Amino acid sequence: MKRLLPAMPSSKHLRKNNIAISPVIGVILLILLTILLAGITVSAVYGKDYSTSLEPAPMAVIEIESVVGGVPYIGYPYGIRYEKNFIVLQHKSGDPLDVDSTYLIITGEGASTIGTRPRYAIPKGEIVVIYGNLDYGGKERPYKTRNPDISDGMWSAGERLVFNGYDSIDGTARSSVHVTINGISNTYNNYGLKENSVITIKIFDRKSNKIIAEAKYKVTPAK
């Protein structure tokens, strides 16, 4: 029995197929070259920052337990002192947060002190409070006393953090708390939150430059 073999195409037929295939290969090579050049451009422009931005942020559930506060005044009645402003947050579940690479931003209505004594003022209006980190550095000693849970450098599930309007080391470069009032950044870095107003709290991860949690809360008047 004779085995049947596939017919071999003629050289003329081969030439026609080659002519048809060549443009397809050219298009594929062009696409690959474009992708390669795009990758090189992104690396050159963004470098390490680009690769960092692709890192996932830690996942954590943060709850606002309470916000109590008020704003001070110059002259009688004096209003609410900065020391009476408290924000209490609890880490409910999820990843532990590195206190050195986690930062917090508070926005809303409030007040802060500007100027130098005896000529100083306490303007009121739109306030932005930035905690550049959550660790003990750059803050008054009571911050450490109020927050023993983060002595290991991590904010873990079940642990609380307490923030106070007088956490900042007054207006010095060593402070890790920075306060802006009505766009003025040259403040004492202390803050009061307007009674019955609504503030927004956002927590960020510096390594990935992404937000971890965000919530709004109404300020309960301090006594």
Side-chain angles (χ1 to χ4, degrees), residues 29-96:
L29 290 175
L30 184 60
I31 293 173
L32 291 175
L33 181 60
T34 302
I35 294 173
L36 178 61
L37 290 175
I40 293 173
T41 302
V42 167
S43 297
V45 173
Y46 295 100
K48 182 179 178 181
D49 291 338
Y50 178 77
S51 61
T52 301
S53 68
L54 298 180
E55 294 182 9
M59 298 184 66
V61 177
I62 309 298
E63 180 179 276
I64 303 176
E65 283 195 1
S66 62
V67 179
V68 177
V71 294
Y73 296 89
I74 297 176
Y76 182 84
Y78 298 102
I80 303 299
R81 292 181 299 169
Y82 296 121
E83 295 91 332
K84 294 290 186 178
N85 285 262
F86 285 97
I87 297 173
V88 182
L89 305 181
Q90 183 178 24
H91 189 312
K92 298 292 288 185
S93 63
D95 298 327

Side-chain angles (χ1 to χ4, degrees), residues 129-204:
V129 182
I130 301 175
Y131 280 75
N133 55 55
L134 303 182
D135 64 22
Y136 301 142
K139 302 175 184 69
E140 293 285 358
R141 186 177 297 274
Y143 179 85
K144 181 177 181 180
T145 304
R146 287 190 294 265
N147 295 295
D149 287 346
I150 59 171
S151 59
D152 60 351
M154 303 298 292
W155 186 20
S156 305
E159 297 178 345
R160 288 176 172 81
L161 271 180
V162 181
F163 303 91
N164 181 260
Y166 208 71
D167 279 335
S168 172
I169 300 175
D170 283 348
T172 68
R174 295 184 297 120
S175 177
S176 60
V177 183
H178 303 282
V179 178
T180 299
I181 182 75
N182 294 329
I184 302 170
S185 58
N186 186 25
T187 71
Y188 279 55
N189 293 325
N190 43 28
Y191 61 91
L193 304 172
K194 184 179 179 181
E195 304 93 326
N196 297 312
S197 68
V198 176
I199 64 168
T200 300
I201 300 175
K202 296 181 181 181
I203 301 172
F204 295 87

Side-chain angles (χ1 to χ4, degrees), residues 95-130:
D95 298 327
L97 304 180
D98 186 331
V99 296
D100 187 53
S101 61
T102 304
Y103 64 99
L104 179 143
I105 299 178
I106 305 162
T107 56
E109 295 182 74
S112 185
T113 302
I114 62 172
T116 57
R117 295 179 181 178
R119 302 177 65 85
Y120 66 93
I122 305 178
K124 299 163 184 64
E126 295 297 319
I127 194 169
V128 179
V129 182
I130 301 175

